Amino acid sequence: MNKVPQLIDGAFVQSSTQEWISVTNPANNQEIAKAPIALQSEIDQAIAAAEMAFQTWKKVAVSERARVMLRYQHLLKEHHDELAKILSSETGKTFDDAKGDVWRGIEVVEQAANIASMMMGETVENVAKGIDTYSMIQPLGVCLGITPFNFPAMIPLWMFPMAIASGNTFILKPSEQDPLTPIRLAELFIEAGAPKGVLNVIHGSKDQVNYLLNHRAIRAVSFVGSVPVGQHIYKTATDNMKRAQCFAGAKNHSVIMPDANKEHVINNLVGASVGAAGQRCMAISVAVFVGNSKEWIKPLAEQIAKVKPGLWDDKEAGFGPLISPAAKARVLSLIQQGKEEGATVLVDGSNTTVAGYESGNWVGPTVFANVTPNMSIYQEEIFGPVLCCIEVDTLDEALELVNNNPYGNGTSIFTASGAAARKYQSNVEVGQVGINVPIPVPLPFFSFTGWKNSFYGDLHAYGKQAVRFYTETKTITSRWLDDDIPSGPNMTIDLK
């Protein structure tokens, strides 16, 4: 059985642990690899290597750091299909979906290759007579990334390329449920010319995460995952005087106005709601139909019902299995609660299976109508292929519904009215808004900007905000004396 290595000080090494985590294929729950629960001594070695590497890496010319990223994005593109196959094997994602996962990460690496322009400081000459002030952007030190199961390529690539391009070194703790993709990303990064110790990969579970969070050497922590874990990581990190950005839960709404293009709405909502088996933090899990657009719920449900789950290489499959039996059980429990609480089931995927793979974690597309905000299926992030449909009379009611929700990750509105779109984008209390775009994930020259309970911290992932998160600003005020020296002491705080 394949035992997943760890990356410590430039070498891929097997752990000496006696505890291993089973990595399974979600389509049949058969074991495909074992991931180690890292020993404390191994974590210490990785952190020591990162500390040592930082002393030299921070002094490497920014243009050379950018060239490492250029070589890396080239290798990632060369190995795009290979990475997607590995990703599919451990997540169950369809091949095309897996390729998208990898590609959205590559886009961030491309942005990291532009690091020099994002680390430029500012200068003002003669802030006072003969005195200049300028700022420099400098790296923090050793940074930590804790990544989730649902995007094992994209999310690690959100983190360590931007941190390392900024001059830091990095410890990556990938999800124990799918570590094969991150370790292959690390292999390609070393092949791209990254010096030893700049990137280290440690495997494990919550105990290893807590040890890392409490370690004195870690300066910044980036996390993507669930709300309770995100709250714990944010509090632990900040209690230990570390920077933290924690991306947590979501309940994303799409508002459908009566003047929207019906075909466009239905085509977009199908993929946005059940694509990737709903295991996306930006999935549309609530469709809010305004006025006469409520008549579109039935044809939408009919289209969603045509989507079938299947194996990664099945060209007819719309999505794959859920990640684990526990994830499947949770989704089925919430579907059952929705039925018991009075929602109308238009499409029920509870009993879905795939021939020959009956032991897999399959849940079919599910659509509820007549959902109300007090129902569990509305209040909780289901993280499965389940769409809740709510009907309101006006855009103002739709805005009130969305703004009363504790999450603020993403939302969208479908409309032909510029006035309605502008009103929505201006008044909705959500960080990422799509207009006739179902899943408004920004490209990496912007930043990923969830709000409210979807995010703990103040500086977001990738883009300019990521550079600010992984760096400190140093401001220098200088005077070079000439013949015009002021006479006598200056007893005020003014620069003279």
Side-chain angles (χ1 to χ4, degrees):
M1 186 59 60
N2 177 29
K3 289 188 174 181
V4 185
Q6 302 189 114
L7 173 58
I8 300 176
D9 200 19
F12 291 92
V13 294
Q14 288 291 342
S15 174
S16 298
T17 186
Q18 298 300 309
E19 297 182 83
W20 296 81
I21 300 169
S22 180
V23 180
T24 60
N25 176 356
N28 56 19
N29 284 307
Q30 292 182 2
E31 187 174 73
I32 57 175
K34 291 182 181 291
I37 294 181
L39 300 175
Q40 183 173 312
S41 59
E42 294 167 346
I43 299 175
D44 288 339
Q45 290 170 22
I47 293 176
E51 286 187 286
M52 181 70 71
F54 177 65
Q55 299 308 314
T56 53
W57 181 246
K58 67 181 179 180
K59 298 176 183 177
V60 171
V62 66
S63 55
E64 179 53 36
R65 299 202 302 264
R67 291 186 192 108
V68 172
M69 297 303 159
L70 282 170
R71 293 192 292 270
Y72 188 40
Q73 60 89 25
H74 177 71
L75 284 170
L76 290 171
K77 290 173 182 176
E78 277 191 341
H79 293 268
H80 192 179
D81 284 5
E82 175 208 343
L83 286 163
K85 289 178 182 178
I86 295 170
L87 197 155
S88 294
S89 73
E90 59 182 349
T91 65
K93 286 188 178 184
T94 63
F95 184 58
D96 286 343
D97 195 24
K99 287 181 69 174
D101 186 333
V102 176
W103 183 256
R104 293 308 300 263
I106 291 173
E107 291 177 327
V108 178
V109 179
E110 290 176 335
Q111 187 68 7
N114 188 39
I115 193 65
S117 64
M118 291 186 284
M119 293 196 70
M120 295 172 69
E122 298 173 314
T123 302
V124 175
E125 185 181 29
N126 286 323
V127 295
K129 186 176 181 181
I131 298 176
D132 306 325
T133 297
Y134 51 96
S135 63
M136 297 187 296
I137 310 298
Q138 296 186 330
L140 295 174
V142 182
C143 301
L144 169 65
I146 305 162
T147 60
F149 76 84
N150 59 330
F151 286 98
M154 183 183 75
I155 301 298
L157 293 175
W158 276 13
M159 296 179 184
F160 74 81
M162 295 299 293
I164 290 172
S166 299
N168 302 284
T169 54
F170 205 86
I171 308 291
L172 176 64
K173 209 304 284 182
S175 170
E176 61 273 23
Q177 296 186 86
D178 45 17
L180 297 173
T181 303
I183 207 70
R184 184 62 180 135
L185 295 177
E187 289 172 350
L188 293 173
F189 192 59
I190 297 301
E191 187 178 336
K196 69 176 186 178
V198 168
L199 174 66
N200 301 269
V201 183
I202 289 292
H203 301 293
S205 190
K206 63 180 182 179
D207 289 341
Q208 288 65 44
V209 168
N210 284 327
Y211 184 74
L212 286 161
L213 290 174
N214 286 284
H215 199 286
R216 51 141 193 97
I218 301 295
R219 296 292 308 280
V221 179
S222 185
F223 165 81
V224 177
S226 66
V227 171
V229 180
Q231 290 173 333
H232 167 75
I233 288 176
Y234 183 75
K235 184 178 188 305
T236 305
T238 53
D239 283 352
N240 282 277
M241 301 301 292
K242 306 178 193 306
R243 287 189 185 178
Q245 51 175 207
C246 296
F247 302 82
K251 198 70 177 178
N252 304 316
H253 300 68
S254 187
V255 174
I256 298 93
M257 300 297 291
D259 61 0
N261 182 289
K262 178 181 176 181
E263 183 178 3
H264 179 69
V265 168
I266 291 175
N267 288 340
N268 278 273
L269 284 183
V270 171
S273 59
V274 303
Q279 297 176 121
R280 294 170 175 158
C281 68
M282 288 293 285
I284 294 297
S285 56
V286 182
V288 184
F289 291 88
V290 180
N292 293 335
S293 69
K294 67 186 68 173
E295 298 171 2
W296 303 353
I297 296 176
K298 184 177 179 181
L300 170 64
E302 291 171 350
Q303 284 297 108
I304 289 178
K306 296 177 183 178
V307 181
K308 305 298 181 185
L311 302 180
W312 71 274
D313 57 351
D314 180 358
K315 298 292 186 182
E316 302 301 317
F319 58 88
L322 296 177
I323 189 65
S324 68
K328 175 181 177 180
R330 181 179 179 277
V331 172
L332 292 180
S333 174
L334 283 164
I335 291 174
Q336 182 59 33
Q337 286 184 58
K339 297 174 184 177
E340 294 172 357
E341 292 173 353
T344 302
V345 187
L346 299 180
V347 182
D348 189 351
S350 300
N351 297 314
T352 299
T353 59
V354 172
Y357 292 83
E358 288 80 5
S359 60
N361 309 317
W362 307 104
V363 176
T366 301
V367 180
F368 283 103
N370 301 314
V371 175
T372 59
N374 63 320
M375 294 180 179
S376 299
I377 53 172
Y378 177 79
Q379 293 179 353
E380 295 194 37
E381 182 180 25
I382 301 176
F383 227 58
V386 180
L387 178 65
C388 298
C389 297
I390 295 180
E391 302 171 18
V392 297
D393 293 327
T394 65
L395 177 58
D396 286 334
E397 289 180 60
L399 273 166
E400 182 180 9
L401 175 74
V402 176
N403 288 344
N404 284 339
N405 194 277
Y407 296 111
N409 214 33
T411 188
S412 60
I413 182 170
F414 287 88
T415 181
S417 166
R422 192 172 190 280
K423 178 177 181 176
Y424 192 74
Q425 73 177 29
S426 298
N427 293 286
V428 73
E429 296 169 5
V430 176
Q432 297 166 119
V433 182
I435 298 173
N436 298 316
V437 173
I439 303 179
V441 180
L443 287 169
F445 26 85
F446 290 92
S447 295
F448 189 90
T449 53
W451 285 10
K452 298 194 289 190
N453 285 0
S454 294
F455 179 71
Y456 302 94
D458 55 3
L459 291 167
H460 294 82
Y462 62 76
K464 293 179 182 178
Q465 290 197 36
V467 175
R468 293 296 176 259
F469 177 73
Y470 288 120
T471 60
E472 286 279 21
T473 300
K474 181 180 289 183
T475 304
I476 297 95
T477 301
S478 69
R479 164 182 275 165
W480 295 97
L481 299 179
D482 53 24
D483 294 335
D484 188 17
I485 301 173
S487 60
N490 179 12
M491 304 302 292
T492 74
I493 62 171
D494 293 336
L495 291 176
K496 294 181 179 179

Short mmCIF file of all heavy atoms in Angstrom, two decimals, residues 139-183:
data_model
loop_
_atom_site.label_atom_id
_atom_site.label_comp_id
_atom_site.label_asym_id
_atom_site.label_seq_id
_atom_site.Cartn_x
_atom_site.Cartn_y
_atom_site.Cartn_z
N PRO A 139 8.98 40.12 4.30
CA PRO A 139 8.29 38.88 4.69
C PRO A 139 8.27 38.68 6.20
O PRO A 139 9.08 39.25 6.93
CB PRO A 139 9.09 37.79 4.00
CG PRO A 139 10.46 38.38 3.82
CD PRO A 139 10.25 39.84 3.58
N LEU A 140 7.34 37.83 6.64
CA LEU A 140 7.14 37.58 8.08
C LEU A 140 8.08 36.52 8.63
O LEU A 140 8.63 36.66 9.72
CB LEU A 140 5.70 37.11 8.32
CG LEU A 140 4.57 38.09 8.05
CD1 LEU A 140 3.23 37.37 8.23
CD2 LEU A 140 4.65 39.28 8.97
N GLY A 141 8.20 35.39 7.92
CA GLY A 141 8.95 34.25 8.45
C GLY A 141 8.30 32.94 8.05
O GLY A 141 7.93 32.74 6.89
N VAL A 142 8.10 32.05 9.01
CA VAL A 142 7.50 30.74 8.74
C VAL A 142 5.98 30.87 8.79
O VAL A 142 5.42 31.31 9.80
CB VAL A 142 7.98 29.69 9.75
CG1 VAL A 142 7.40 28.32 9.41
CG2 VAL A 142 9.51 29.63 9.77
N CYS A 143 5.30 30.45 7.72
CA CYS A 143 3.85 30.53 7.64
C CYS A 143 3.27 29.12 7.53
O CYS A 143 3.94 28.19 7.09
CB CYS A 143 3.42 31.38 6.44
SG CYS A 143 4.05 33.07 6.49
N LEU A 144 2.01 29.00 7.92
CA LEU A 144 1.33 27.70 7.98
C LEU A 144 0.06 27.74 7.16
O LEU A 144 -0.72 28.69 7.25
CB LEU A 144 1.00 27.37 9.44
CG LEU A 144 0.06 26.19 9.71
CD1 LEU A 144 0.69 24.88 9.27
CD2 LEU A 144 -0.30 26.14 11.21
N GLY A 145 -0.18 26.68 6.38
CA GLY A 145 -1.43 26.52 5.65
C GLY A 145 -2.11 25.22 6.00
O GLY A 145 -1.48 24.16 5.98
N ILE A 146 -3.40 25.29 6.35
CA ILE A 146 -4.20 24.11 6.70
C ILE A 146 -5.33 24.04 5.69
O ILE A 146 -6.19 24.93 5.64
CB ILE A 146 -4.75 24.23 8.14
CG1 ILE A 146 -3.61 24.47 9.13
CG2 ILE A 146 -5.53 22.98 8.53
CD1 ILE A 146 -4.07 25.03 10.46
N THR A 147 -5.33 23.00 4.86
CA THR A 147 -6.22 22.99 3.71
C THR A 147 -7.29 21.90 3.82
O THR A 147 -7.09 20.89 4.49
CB THR A 147 -5.42 22.80 2.41
OG1 THR A 147 -4.72 21.56 2.44
CG2 THR A 147 -4.42 23.93 2.25
N PRO A 148 -8.44 22.08 3.14
CA PRO A 148 -9.58 21.17 3.25
C PRO A 148 -9.54 20.07 2.18
O PRO A 148 -8.71 20.10 1.27
CB PRO A 148 -10.77 22.10 3.02
CG PRO A 148 -10.23 23.06 2.00
CD PRO A 148 -8.77 23.26 2.32
N PHE A 149 -10.49 19.15 2.28
CA PHE A 149 -10.54 18.04 1.34
C PHE A 149 -11.09 18.42 -0.02
O PHE A 149 -10.79 17.77 -1.02
CB PHE A 149 -11.39 16.89 1.92
CG PHE A 149 -12.87 17.16 1.86
CD1 PHE A 149 -13.60 16.89 0.71
CD2 PHE A 149 -13.54 17.68 2.95
CE1 PHE A 149 -14.97 17.16 0.65
CE2 PHE A 149 -14.90 17.95 2.90
CZ PHE A 149 -15.62 17.68 1.74
N ASN A 150 -11.93 19.45 -0.09
CA ASN A 150 -12.74 19.63 -1.29
C ASN A 150 -11.98 20.24 -2.46
O ASN A 150 -12.41 20.09 -3.61
CB ASN A 150 -14.01 20.44 -0.98
CG ASN A 150 -13.72 21.81 -0.42
OD1 ASN A 150 -12.72 22.02 0.26
ND2 ASN A 150 -14.60 22.76 -0.67
N PHE A 151 -10.87 20.92 -2.22
CA PHE A 151 -10.03 21.44 -3.30
C PHE A 151 -8.56 21.17 -2.98
O PHE A 151 -7.82 22.09 -2.61
CB PHE A 151 -10.29 22.94 -3.50
CG PHE A 151 -11.59 23.26 -4.16
CD1 PHE A 151 -12.70 23.61 -3.40
CD2 PHE A 151 -11.72 23.20 -5.54
CE1 PHE A 151 -13.91 23.91 -4.01
CE2 PHE A 151 -12.94 23.49 -6.15
CZ PHE A 151 -14.03 23.85 -5.39
N PRO A 152 -8.11 19.94 -3.14
CA PRO A 152 -6.75 19.58 -2.71
C PRO A 152 -5.65 20.14 -3.60
O PRO A 152 -4.47 20.05 -3.23
CB PRO A 152 -6.76 18.06 -2.75
CG PRO A 152 -7.82 17.70 -3.73
CD PRO A 152 -8.87 18.76 -3.60
N ALA A 153 -5.99 20.72 -4.75
CA ALA A 153 -5.00 21.41 -5.57
C ALA A 153 -5.15 22.92 -5.43
O ALA A 153 -4.20 23.64 -5.11
CB ALA A 153 -5.11 21.00 -7.04
N MET A 154 -6.36 23.42 -5.65
CA MET A 154 -6.57 24.86 -5.69
C MET A 154 -6.22 25.55 -4.37
O MET A 154 -5.51 26.57 -4.36
CB MET A 154 -8.03 25.17 -6.05
CG MET A 154 -8.32 26.65 -6.19
SD MET A 154 -10.07 27.01 -6.54
CE MET A 154 -10.81 26.74 -4.92
N ILE A 155 -6.69 25.01 -3.25
CA ILE A 155 -6.49 25.72 -1.98
C ILE A 155 -5.03 25.74 -1.54
O ILE A 155 -4.53 26.80 -1.15
CB ILE A 155 -7.41 25.14 -0.88
CG1 ILE A 155 -8.88 25.25 -1.29
CG2 ILE A 155 -7.18 25.88 0.44
CD1 ILE A 155 -9.39 26.65 -1.49
N PRO A 156 -4.28 24.62 -1.60
CA PRO A 156 -2.84 24.75 -1.32
C PRO A 156 -2.16 25.77 -2.23
O PRO A 156 -1.28 26.52 -1.78
CB PRO A 156 -2.31 23.33 -1.55
CG PRO A 156 -3.46 22.45 -1.25
CD PRO A 156 -4.67 23.20 -1.76
N LEU A 157 -2.58 25.82 -3.49
CA LEU A 157 -1.97 26.77 -4.41
C LEU A 157 -2.44 28.20 -4.18
O LEU A 157 -1.82 29.15 -4.67
CB LEU A 157 -2.24 26.34 -5.86
CG LEU A 157 -1.55 25.04 -6.29
CD1 LEU A 157 -1.98 24.64 -7.70
CD2 LEU A 157 -0.03 25.16 -6.21
N TRP A 158 -3.54 28.38 -3.47
CA TRP A 158 -3.89 29.72 -3.00
C TRP A 158 -2.86 30.23 -1.99
O TRP A 158 -2.65 31.43 -1.87
CB TRP A 158 -5.24 29.68 -2.27
CG TRP A 158 -6.46 29.75 -3.11
CD1 TRP A 158 -6.56 29.61 -4.46
CD2 TRP A 158 -7.79 29.97 -2.62
NE1 TRP A 158 -7.87 29.72 -4.85
CE2 TRP A 158 -8.65 29.94 -3.75
CE3 TRP A 158 -8.33 30.17 -1.36
CZ2 TRP A 158 -10.03 30.13 -3.63
CZ3 TRP A 158 -9.70 30.34 -1.26
CH2 TRP A 158 -10.54 30.33 -2.37
N MET A 159 -2.28 29.29 -1.24
CA MET A 159 -1.52 29.65 -0.05
C MET A 159 -0.01 29.73 -0.27
O MET A 159 0.57 30.82 -0.27
CB MET A 159 -1.84 28.67 1.08
CG MET A 159 -3.28 28.69 1.55
SD MET A 159 -3.56 27.48 2.85
CE MET A 159 -5.31 27.64 3.12
N PHE A 160 0.63 28.56 -0.46
CA PHE A 160 2.09 28.58 -0.36
C PHE A 160 2.79 29.33 -1.50
O PHE A 160 3.84 29.94 -1.25
CB PHE A 160 2.66 27.17 -0.17
CG PHE A 160 2.65 26.25 -1.36
CD1 PHE A 160 3.64 26.35 -2.33
CD2 PHE A 160 1.70 25.26 -1.48
CE1 PHE A 160 3.66 25.49 -3.42
CE2 PHE A 160 1.70 24.39 -2.56
CZ PHE A 160 2.69 24.51 -3.54
N PRO A 161 2.28 29.38 -2.75
CA PRO A 161 3.00 30.17 -3.74
C PRO A 161 3.05 31.66 -3.41
O PRO A 161 4.10 32.30 -3.57
CB PRO A 161 2.22 29.90 -5.03
CG PRO A 161 1.62 28.56 -4.83
CD PRO A 161 1.22 28.55 -3.38
N MET A 162 1.92 32.24 -2.95
CA MET A 162 1.92 33.66 -2.60
C MET A 162 2.81 33.94 -1.39
O MET A 162 3.55 34.93 -1.36
CB MET A 162 0.50 34.14 -2.33
CG MET A 162 -0.43 34.10 -3.53
SD MET A 162 0.11 35.15 -4.91
CE MET A 162 -0.07 36.78 -4.20
N ALA A 163 2.75 33.05 -0.40
CA ALA A 163 3.58 33.24 0.80
C ALA A 163 5.06 33.14 0.47
O ALA A 163 5.87 33.96 0.91
CB ALA A 163 3.20 32.20 1.86
N ILE A 164 5.42 32.13 -0.31
CA ILE A 164 6.84 31.90 -0.62
C ILE A 164 7.37 32.95 -1.59
O ILE A 164 8.49 33.44 -1.44
CB ILE A 164 7.02 30.46 -1.15
CG1 ILE A 164 6.79 29.47 -0.01
CG2 ILE A 164 8.39 30.27 -1.76
CD1 ILE A 164 6.75 28.01 -0.44
N ALA A 165 6.57 33.33 -2.58
CA ALA A 165 7.00 34.39 -3.49
C ALA A 165 7.25 35.69 -2.74
O ALA A 165 8.11 36.49 -3.13
CB ALA A 165 5.95 34.60 -4.58
N SER A 166 6.51 35.90 -1.65
CA SER A 166 6.69 37.11 -0.83
C SER A 166 7.93 37.06 0.05
O SER A 166 8.23 38.03 0.75
CB SER A 166 5.45 37.33 0.05
OG SER A 166 4.29 37.52 -0.74
N GLY A 167 8.63 35.91 0.05
CA GLY A 167 9.88 35.80 0.79
C GLY A 167 9.80 34.97 2.05
O GLY A 167 10.78 34.86 2.79
N ASN A 168 8.63 34.37 2.32
CA ASN A 168 8.46 33.54 3.51
C ASN A 168 8.82 32.08 3.20
O ASN A 168 9.01 31.69 2.05
CB ASN A 168 7.01 33.59 3.98
CG ASN A 168 6.55 34.99 4.29
OD1 ASN A 168 6.89 35.55 5.32
ND2 ASN A 168 5.78 35.58 3.38
N THR A 169 8.87 31.28 4.25
CA THR A 169 8.90 29.83 4.10
C THR A 169 7.59 29.27 4.64
O THR A 169 6.83 29.98 5.30
CB THR A 169 10.10 29.22 4.83
OG1 THR A 169 10.10 29.64 6.19
CG2 THR A 169 11.41 29.67 4.17
N PHE A 170 7.31 27.99 4.34
CA PHE A 170 5.93 27.52 4.51
C PHE A 170 5.87 26.08 4.99
O PHE A 170 6.64 25.23 4.55
CB PHE A 170 5.20 27.63 3.18
CG PHE A 170 3.70 27.77 3.30
CD1 PHE A 170 3.12 29.00 3.48
CD2 PHE A 170 2.88 26.66 3.25
CE1 PHE A 170 1.74 29.15 3.59
CE2 PHE A 170 1.50 26.78 3.35
CZ PHE A 170 0.93 28.04 3.53
N ILE A 171 4.91 25.84 5.92
CA ILE A 171 4.53 24.50 6.35
C ILE A 171 3.12 24.26 5.84
O ILE A 171 2.19 24.99 6.18
CB ILE A 171 4.54 24.34 7.88
CG1 ILE A 171 5.87 24.80 8.49
CG2 ILE A 171 4.21 22.90 8.27
CD1 ILE A 171 7.04 23.93 8.17
N LEU A 172 2.94 23.23 5.02
CA LEU A 172 1.61 22.87 4.51
C LEU A 172 1.11 21.64 5.24
O LEU A 172 1.79 20.61 5.28
CB LEU A 172 1.68 22.59 3.01
CG LEU A 172 0.38 22.11 2.34
CD1 LEU A 172 -0.69 23.19 2.40
CD2 LEU A 172 0.63 21.69 0.90
N LYS A 173 -0.10 21.74 5.85
CA LYS A 173 -0.76 20.59 6.47
C LYS A 173 -2.03 20.33 5.67
O LYS A 173 -3.07 20.90 5.91
CB LYS A 173 -1.10 20.89 7.94
CG LYS A 173 -1.12 19.65 8.86
CD LYS A 173 -2.05 18.54 8.42
CE LYS A 173 -3.50 18.84 8.70
NZ LYS A 173 -4.41 17.67 8.28
N PRO A 174 -1.93 19.44 4.66
CA PRO A 174 -3.11 19.18 3.82
C PRO A 174 -4.12 18.30 4.53
O PRO A 174 -3.82 17.67 5.56
CB PRO A 174 -2.51 18.48 2.60
CG PRO A 174 -1.29 17.80 3.13
CD PRO A 174 -0.76 18.69 4.22
N SER A 175 -5.32 18.24 3.97
CA SER A 175 -6.34 17.35 4.51
C SER A 175 -5.84 15.92 4.50
O SER A 175 -5.27 15.45 3.50
CB SER A 175 -7.63 17.47 3.70
OG SER A 175 -8.54 16.45 4.09
N GLU A 176 -6.10 15.21 5.59
CA GLU A 176 -5.72 13.81 5.67
C GLU A 176 -6.59 12.92 4.78
O GLU A 176 -6.27 11.75 4.56
CB GLU A 176 -5.79 13.32 7.13
CG GLU A 176 -7.15 13.41 7.78
CD GLU A 176 -7.45 14.74 8.43
OE1 GLU A 176 -6.84 15.76 8.03
OE2 GLU A 176 -8.31 14.78 9.34
N GLN A 177 -7.69 13.49 4.25
CA GLN A 177 -8.58 12.70 3.41
C GLN A 177 -8.10 12.60 1.96
O GLN A 177 -8.48 11.67 1.25
CB GLN A 177 -10.00 13.27 3.45
CG GLN A 177 -10.62 13.20 4.83
CD GLN A 177 -12.07 13.65 4.83
OE1 GLN A 177 -12.98 12.87 4.58
NE2 GLN A 177 -12.29 14.92 5.12
N ASP A 178 -7.29 13.55 1.52
CA ASP A 178 -6.77 13.49 0.15
C ASP A 178 -5.39 14.16 0.06
O ASP A 178 -5.24 15.22 -0.54
CB ASP A 178 -7.75 14.12 -0.85
CG ASP A 178 -8.35 15.44 -0.39
OD1 ASP A 178 -7.79 16.05 0.54
OD2 ASP A 178 -9.37 15.86 -0.94
N PRO A 179 -4.36 13.51 0.61
CA PRO A 179 -3.02 14.09 0.65
C PRO A 179 -2.17 13.82 -0.59
O PRO A 179 -1.07 14.36 -0.71
CB PRO A 179 -2.40 13.41 1.87
CG PRO A 179 -3.02 12.04 1.86
CD PRO A 179 -4.44 12.25 1.38
N LEU A 180 -2.66 12.97 -1.51
CA LEU A 180 -1.82 12.59 -2.65
C LEU A 180 -1.61 13.75 -3.62
O LEU A 180 -0.51 13.94 -4.14
CB LEU A 180 -2.47 11.41 -3.39
CG LEU A 180 -2.62 10.11 -2.59
CD1 LEU A 180 -3.41 9.08 -3.37
CD2 LEU A 180 -1.24 9.56 -2.23
N THR A 181 -2.65 14.53 -3.85
CA THR A 181 -2.52 15.68 -4.74
C THR A 181 -1.56 16.72 -4.16
O THR A 181 -0.65 17.18 -4.87
CB THR A 181 -3.89 16.31 -5.02
OG1 THR A 181 -4.76 15.32 -5.58
CG2 THR A 181 -3.77 17.48 -5.97
N PRO A 182 -1.69 17.13 -2.89
CA PRO A 182 -0.76 18.12 -2.36
C PRO A 182 0.70 17.66 -2.38
O PRO A 182 1.60 18.47 -2.62
CB PRO A 182 -1.26 18.33 -0.92
CG PRO A 182 -2.71 18.00 -0.97
CD PRO A 182 -2.81 16.88 -1.96
N ILE A 183 0.94 16.37 -2.12
CA ILE A 183 2.33 15.92 -2.11
C ILE A 183 2.90 15.94 -3.53
O ILE A 183 4.09 16.21 -3.74
CB ILE A 183 2.48 14.53 -1.45
CG1 ILE A 183 3.89 14.37 -0.84
CG2 ILE A 183 2.19 13.41 -2.39
CD1 ILE A 183 4.15 15.22 0.35
#
